[in-house]
Amino acid sequence: MPRYNPAVIEPKWQQFWETHATFQTPELPQGEKLYVLDMFPYPSGNGLHVGHPEGYTATDILCRAARMQGKTVLHPMGFDAFGLPAEEFAIKTNTPPRESTEKNIDTFRRQLKMLGFSYDWDREVATTDVDYFRWTQWIFLQLYDTWFDKEQQKGRAIAELPIPADVQAEGPAAVQRYQDEHRLAYQADALVNWCPNLGTVLANEEVQDGKSERGGHPVVRIPLRQWTLRITAYADRLESDLELLNWPRSVKKLQSDWIGRSTGAEVDFYIGAADDYAAWKKARAAQDFPAQPGDDALRIYTTRPDTLYGATYMVIAPEHPFVERLTTPENAAAVKAYCDKAAGKSDRERQEEKKKKTGVFTGSYALNPVNGEPTPVWIADYVLISYGSGAIMAVPAHDIRDLEFAQQFDLPVTAVVDPGPDAEDRDQVLAGEACFAGHGVAVHSGDYDGLSTADFKVKIAGDLAAAGMGSPAVNYKLRDWLFSRQRFWGEPFPILHELDENDQPTGVIRTVDEADLPVNLPHLDDFKPPGTPEPPLGKAPHDWLYQTIDGVRYRRETNTMPQWAGSCWYYLRYIDPKNSECFVDPAKEKAWMPVDVYIGGVEHAVLHLLYARFWHKVLFDRGHVSTPEPFQRLINQGMILGEPELNGYQTSDGQWVSAADAVVDEEQGAVLQEGTGAALSEVKLEPSQVEKKGDSFVLVDDPSIRIDHRAFKMSKSRGNVVTPDEVVSEYGADSLRLYEMFMGPLEATKPWSMNGVSGVKNFLDRVWRLIVDDRAEEMTLSDAVQDVEPTADQNRIVHKTIQAVTSDIAGLSFNTAIARMMEFVNAFTREKVRPKQSLETLVLLLSPYAPHIAEELWSVLGHADTLAYESWPEFNEELAADSTIEIPVQILGKVRAKLQAAPDISQADLEQAALADPKIAEMLAGKTIVKTIVIPGRLVNFVVK
């Protein structure tokens, strides 16, 4: 096989690695450790597409290079296999979800092995493995057994919770109720996004425009008893500890914004009987601000207590418990209709800034604590029950949403903060015609007039506290985590509910003993959700559903955990996946943690990472792990889009419309003709129907019609999915890996191009021919490969390449490292004598990127064993000292790309490097190069037709 044939080479070396357990990780690190983690995939029935391996290839390059640099590497893989998609597929095909899930895992595993990733497959886990979710259930029990000590700012065992004497006096049942109220895992009634068609509760992020993200089914808000995790107790630590992490600034901001910490005050507005107001004020002044407002006060949270005098109305959320109480009979019908409509909207939809403000008047008033003024109470869906107290004082002069609402319903606007004489819109603000949200000087605020905002805040806080009307407060946008799902395919809760003699729950909860874990899923012939909040596990066999312990009858919890549960801790199980005594051996955990590098999509920037950090901190507080944070460095790879599509637009009578005149109407979900508003149909065009004109594509039959040239996310619906199987079949796994890294920076979004894959395959062909005599009948070295010392020029190229590739791997600049190796190959291809040791260096540098061809060439160069643990090449700084320059590449005189190259790069090498650039290769596809202008060190320009 003298010619390069990946179809033969790649299976050969994959089999070698598996047979020899090449990438098996020792139990404990030997020397410096490196734990590199991929966000593990959800094994769907579609298998991988070429967008998935991008991050996996990046981590594999890091790991292969690190092994050669002497580090002990932990590089595992597993599968996040519980969840809604598998269950929906199971219902649709009447296939048990475990059966279809394990089949999907087999497909994913085959594809991952086909791409040559150096995972330690002996450490593979799936969240659906019974011996895995046994420990997921165990961790839930730790959450259930933990309360948060605010003074110590840490989680502690529930047995250490101080019990007030009056509670102890009431007996064991009262003590248990008190403990249950403080547990990190607790049950509570909550308003949830209920989707009858899917038969489960959905997170806010899974709802769009009042419909489920999956399937587009209607979603309503209903109260439901739910298991909830008290993540809010850790809000401060989750935010402050972001400073400990080497994460992208944008991701840290997303998490910080999601937590949404703010400081302000809680203030009570009186809503009791008017005759009792004086007595209420007197009683409040004689006591501390109460923890609960009582039935005669409406509590609000505000970050601006200095604007209390500007509160011209109040707003409560449609779900606020005082809605019925505050609604007068004449407003009852309107209030009910409004609240029913609001129940069909997600929190995200209600918070959209562009939407028109809506609301309804309750007919009642509350008394402002600073001036006793009656303040009308409205209901509006832009206020959420999940934030603060679910009620606000509205100050339209100093809050834009309040101003929009006031203008919509003709409510008064009173300015109480003077922005100062230098403000451009000062007159409009003071006249109530514009909003000013900044700091200034108090006006129209009684005795506080003339105070600066900062001084006013301090004084009003003290005065409110003295009057028993308010108190300083810290608030968060973060809500406690709704942890129940009304579906079958998820981890069962290790919880038993006590029943009375009539088989009704008593409210007493018992946990399953640790020795009795795992609680496995029962076999169900019918696992379809019934369309009501009663989960499918309610149909489980009697002997699974009911238990009698010590003469007491119990019913198992029939909700299941959400898919997030298994992914919250999988990185820990990889360290010790076969341990049946504990979830991870403490010595191994201490040796391997934290994860040094974590790579995955930015779509998990908030929830998965926040949830995993929360679980980890609880485990840290309880002494089960040794680090306060799980993931030290985070990298988000960019998305790989499908090949760019050529789209034209036509009117109903078939007339073409230029792309410049086609406008997407997001509300209607349609493309309209600008000016006329006529609906346009989108037509996919073949390359033969268009031609390039400047920066655009135009219709061949009518060059005045400009065509869209856009790349979209890969999806079955668009028909633009490219699978690894088809690419590997035609070009090989090494070409796929190399192209995904050569497309551009790892974090960038990039369109796929088969021409680009072909280009890097040509490069690997050239690497092969550099070393192997592909004209011989037997596998043999090229005659040019000789066991001689390299020349000074050759040595310089070698050391510059080692330096560049080493630095680029450390900086995750994989595309530029490949460009460096291309320059090496270009230079040595022209050499009549190619020193063997120089080519061995190239093979070692190439091996993390294209491991199969590198292993084969290493063998051809005379080595008997794998190169996986060969020493990484070292460079001489003096020989590698030359800097690089940036050289523009033009097509028809316009710069289309820029290359990094040595200042003395030859004319031929510069031309080859330009042709190898994926962007240039794509733009030249199908074109004839009439002339190539190369000015070494300056530019490359292709004249084409």
Side-chain angles (χ1 to χ4, degrees):
M1 190 203 67
R3 290 184 179 275
Y4 171 45
N5 187 351
V8 174
I9 293 171
E10 293 176 352
K12 166 188 171 181
W13 285 102
Q14 290 163 16
Q15 183 61 51
F16 176 92
W17 297 327
E18 187 161 347
T19 301
H20 293 82
T22 302
F23 306 113
Q24 189 173 66
T25 310
E27 294 296 307
L28 293 170
Q30 300 165 1
E32 185 180 355
K33 66 94 174 178
L34 181 71
Y35 186 177
V36 180
L37 182 66
D38 293 296
M39 290 187 183
F40 63 170
Y42 184 87
S44 69
N46 301 325
L48 297 173
H49 64 61
V50 293
H52 293 111
E54 182 186 18
Y56 307 154
T57 304
T59 57
D60 200 52
I61 292 169
L62 288 176
C63 292
R64 287 178 176 272
R67 293 189 191 95
M68 298 170 75
Q69 291 164 351
K71 298 176 184 177
T72 304
V73 175
L74 176 56
H75 189 35
M77 176 50 73
F79 303 96
D80 188 13
F82 272 127
L84 199 58
E87 192 169 355
E88 287 293 285
F89 178 82
I91 292 169
K92 183 178 179 181
T93 60
N94 198 30
T95 305
R98 180 167 293 282
E99 182 179 320
S100 58
T101 297
E102 291 179 353
K103 181 179 178 181
N104 294 342
I105 288 175
D106 290 341
T107 299
F108 270 59
R109 187 188 303 110
R110 174 190 63 77
Q111 290 179 310
L112 291 167
K113 288 186 175 183
M114 173 187 73
L115 294 173
F117 297 131
S118 59
Y119 296 123
D120 180 356
W121 285 104
D122 288 343
R123 293 174 181 265
E124 176 191 334
V125 300
T127 56
T128 49
D129 293 341
V130 178
D131 59 356
Y132 179 88
F133 70 70
R134 167 193 178 182
W135 296 108
T136 307
Q137 293 170 340
W138 179 87
I139 294 173
F140 175 83
L141 292 180
Q142 307 311 301
L143 293 161
Y144 183 79
D145 186 56
T146 302
W147 67 285
F148 190 77
D149 186 331
K150 291 183 179 180
E151 291 185 3
Q152 296 186 23
Q153 278 293 296
K154 65 176 291 187
R156 296 171 58 190
I158 200 71
E160 299 174 6
L161 175 67
I163 308 296
D166 59 336
V167 174
Q168 293 187 47
E170 293 181 37
V175 170
Q176 179 171 341
R177 283 196 303 271
Y178 187 83
Q179 290 176 327
D180 289 347
E181 291 169 359
H182 289 80
R183 297 180 189 274
L184 293 184
Y186 64 97
Q187 282 193 305
D189 292 317
L191 277 169
V192 297
N193 300 310
W194 170 253
C195 180
N197 294 73
L198 295 179
T200 193
V201 166
L202 300 176
N204 285 332
E205 295 69 35
E206 298 170 312
V207 180
Q208 292 182 351
D209 300 327
K211 296 182 179 179
S212 63
E213 189 175 38
R214 183 174 182 85
H217 303 297
V219 174
V220 294
R221 303 272 285 178
I222 63 169
L224 198 61
R225 191 81 171 159
Q226 294 279 283
W227 276 102
T228 307
L229 301 186
R230 207 180 302 274
I231 190 174
T232 50
Y234 282 79
D236 275 340
R237 282 171 59 186
L238 288 168
E239 181 177 48
S240 62
D241 285 358
L242 288 170
E243 295 303 314
L244 305 175
L245 304 175
N246 180 10
W247 286 17
R249 188 177 305 169
S250 59
V251 174
K252 288 185 179 182
K253 186 176 186 305
L254 283 170
Q255 290 225 346
S256 182
D257 289 347
W258 189 266
I259 295 167
R261 186 183 192 275
S262 64
T263 57
E266 288 183 335
V267 183
D268 283 350
F269 282 63
Y270 181 71
I271 55 173
D275 293 344
D276 298 333
Y277 179 51
W280 179 81
K281 283 181 64 178
K282 184 177 180 180
R284 277 298 185 93
Q287 65 184 35
D288 292 332
F289 185 68
Q292 298 297 327
D295 293 337
D296 50 9
L298 184 60
R299 178 161 295 177
I300 62 99
Y301 170 79
T302 177
T303 59
R304 296 291 301 270
D306 59 294
T307 62
L308 269 161
Y309 282 87
T312 58
Y313 65 98
M314 300 183 74
V315 180
I316 60 174
E319 305 87 2
H320 197 284
F322 283 3
V323 165
E324 185 175 349
R325 175 185 175 175
L326 292 172
T327 301
T328 58
E330 59 270 23
N331 292 299
V335 166
K336 183 179 185 307
Y338 184 83
C339 292
D340 289 346
K341 187 175 182 180
K345 298 179 182 179
S346 69
D347 286 356
R348 180 170 57 183
E349 185 182 0
R350 286 165 56 170
Q351 289 281 285
E352 288 177 355
E353 293 183 0
K354 294 181 179 179
K355 81 179 192 72
K356 181 180 177 182
K357 296 294 183 289
T358 62
V360 61
F361 181 41
T362 62
S364 294
Y365 295 79
L367 300 184
N368 190 319
V370 295
N371 56 18
E373 289 292 323
T375 310
V377 181
W378 286 67
I379 299 169
D381 63 9
Y382 77 92
V383 173
L384 303 179
I385 191 64
S386 59
Y387 182 72
S389 61
I392 67 165
M393 63 172 198
V395 186
H398 305 294
D399 183 289
I400 187 61
R401 293 189 309 167
D402 295 346
L403 179 61
E404 290 170 351
F405 190 92
Q407 292 172 338
Q408 178 74 26
F409 294 100
D410 197 24
L411 296 170
V413 179
T414 301
V416 291
V417 181
D418 184 344
D422 296 333
E424 291 184 4
D425 57 353
R426 181 191 187 197
D427 292 342
Q428 289 93 330
V429 170
L430 295 178
E433 298 169 357
C435 174
F436 173 68
H439 289 193
V441 175
V443 294
H444 305 139
S445 299
D447 294 340
Y448 300 95
D449 279 357
L451 289 178
S452 69
T453 297
D455 290 341
F456 194 168
K457 281 187 174 183
V458 173
K459 189 167 187 345
I460 192 71
D463 291 347
L464 287 169
M469 301 287 194
S471 175
V474 176
N475 200 34
Y476 304 91
K477 289 182 181 177
L478 180 68
R479 297 294 91 194
D480 279 346
W481 177 7
L482 294 178
F483 199 66
S484 299
R485 295 293 182 268
Q486 295 68 44
R487 299 299 296 243
F488 168 72
W489 193 232
E491 298 94 336
F493 283 92
I495 294 293
L496 300 170
H497 296 273
E498 184 182 276
L499 302 176
D500 62 17
E501 62 275 9
N502 298 315
D503 262 5
Q504 297 301 309
T506 64
V508 176
I509 290 174
R510 174 178 180 144
T511 59
V512 173
D513 291 341
E514 289 183 14
D516 294 330
L517 297 179
V519 177
N520 203 350
L521 285 166
H523 173 78
L524 291 186
D525 291 323
D526 177 17
F527 41 80
K528 185 177 180 180
T532 67
E534 174 62 27
L537 283 178
K539 299 180 283 188
H542 193 276
D543 59 352
W544 183 91
L545 197 56
Y546 295 95
Q547 277 197 324
T548 299
I549 303 174
D550 298 332
V552 180
R553 185 170 165 82
Y554 295 92
R555 188 176 192 262
R556 288 195 189 275
E557 173 66 59
T558 54
N559 285 295
T560 52
M561 300 185 201
Q563 184 181 350
W564 304 105
S567 64
C568 274
W569 74 282
Y570 71 110
Y571 57 92
L572 291 167
R573 191 59 176 175
Y574 282 144
I575 294 172
D576 199 12
K578 304 294 192 297
N579 196 327
S580 60
E581 301 301 317
C582 60
F583 78 115
V584 61
D585 179 88
K588 294 178 183 178
E589 183 277 330
K590 188 173 183 179
W592 284 110
M593 287 298 290
V595 174
D596 297 289
V597 180
Y598 195 20
I599 294 185
V602 73
E603 65 272 16
H604 299 299
V606 175
L607 294 186
H608 158 60
L609 291 172
L610 200 64
Y611 293 158
R613 292 179 63 218
F614 165 50
W615 277 37
H616 192 88
K617 287 183 181 300
V618 177
L619 293 171
F620 176 72
D621 288 352
R622 296 299 306 274
H624 299 300
V625 297
S626 61
T627 64
E629 286 284 341
F631 314 121
Q632 187 57 39
R633 185 182 183 191
L634 174 72
I635 297 110
N636 297 127
Q637 85 269 15
M639 185 180 295
I640 292 182
L641 306 175
E643 294 214 44
E645 296 177 5
L646 298 163
N647 297 309
Y649 302 97
Q650 288 183 312
T651 60
S652 59
D653 59 358
Q655 296 297 311
W656 290 98
V657 173
S658 182
D661 299 322
V663 180
V664 177
D665 187 311
E666 295 182 358
E667 289 189 8
Q668 297 185 41
V671 181
L672 309 177
Q673 185 174 8
E674 191 172 42
T676 68
L680 299 175
S681 57
E682 191 171 351
V683 182
K684 290 186 179 181
L685 300 168
E686 298 298 324
S688 60
Q689 295 176 269
V690 302
E691 63 180 353
K692 195 80 164 58
K693 184 178 181 182
D695 291 334
S696 305
F697 284 85
V698 297
L699 202 61
V700 171
D701 294 338
D702 185 354
S704 67
I705 302 297
R706 184 164 68 81
I707 303 303
D708 262 359
H709 184 246
R710 293 178 290 163
F712 297 88
K713 181 179 178 181
M714 288 189 182
S715 66
K716 287 178 67 178
S717 62
R718 294 204 73 91
N720 63 352
V721 172
V722 180
T723 68
D725 299 78
E726 55 190 295
V727 179
V728 170
S729 175
E730 186 170 355
Y731 298 103
D734 284 341
S735 294
L736 172 59
R737 293 168 57 112
L738 204 63
Y739 174 63
E740 296 219 345
M741 296 297 98
F742 194 47
M743 294 171 75
L746 179 64
E747 297 87 352
T749 297
K750 303 161 286 273
W752 180 265
S753 169
M754 281 304 224
N755 289 330
V757 185
S758 178
V760 295
K761 170 60 165 59
N762 291 340
F763 165 67
L764 292 178
D765 282 329
R766 296 178 66 220
V767 173
W768 183 267
R769 292 194 300 270
L770 191 69
I771 298 172
V772 177
D773 184 354
D774 65 346
R775 294 167 296 181
E777 294 184 5
E778 301 281 338
M779 186 79 75
T780 183
L781 288 174
S782 167
D783 292 340
V785 180
Q786 299 180 21
D787 200 359
V788 297
E789 289 295 317
T791 66
D793 284 345
Q794 290 172 336
N795 221 16
R796 182 178 57 80
I797 293 170
V798 169
H799 285 269
K800 285 170 62 66
T801 306
I802 297 172
Q803 181 192 44
V805 174
T806 304
S807 173
D808 287 344
I809 288 178
L812 307 180
S813 300
F814 304 120
N815 56 323
T816 55
I818 295 169
R820 292 290 195 173
M821 289 186 279
M822 288 178 171
E823 291 176 15
F824 182 109
V825 172
N826 290 339
F828 274 78
T829 297
R830 295 191 303 275
E831 298 290 327
K832 293 183 179 179
V833 176
R834 303 166 193 157
K836 181 182 176 186
Q837 69 180 74
S838 299
L839 298 179
E840 288 176 335
T841 297
L842 171 67
V843 170
L844 293 174
L845 295 176
L846 181 63
S847 63
Y849 295 82
H852 306 89
I853 189 174
E855 290 274 23
E856 188 69 19
L857 291 175
W858 190 248
S859 175
V860 173
L861 285 164
H863 301 279
D865 201 3
T866 174
L867 55 64
Y869 294 95
E870 288 292 326
S871 295
W872 185 256
E874 296 183 359
F875 61 90
N876 181 304
E877 291 189 10
E878 291 183 5
L879 292 172
D882 289 346
S883 60
T884 62
I885 60 174
E886 188 174 76
I887 300 176
V889 182
Q890 302 176 343
I891 298 178
L892 294 174
K894 292 192 175 183
V895 177
R896 301 300 186 184
K898 293 180 179 179
L899 301 176
Q900 294 292 327
D904 58 351
I905 187 172
S906 69
Q907 183 171 334
D909 285 352
L910 185 54
E911 180 179 350
Q912 288 300 315
L915 288 169
D917 183 89
K919 186 175 181 181
I920 297 299
E922 180 184 351
M923 298 185 75
L924 292 178
K927 300 289 186 292
T928 301
I929 300 176
V930 177
K931 184 179 181 181
T932 303
I933 301 168
V934 180
I935 303 176
R938 295 280 303 280
L939 64 83
V940 181
N941 183 27
F942 295 106
V943 180
V944 301
K945 68 174 183 178

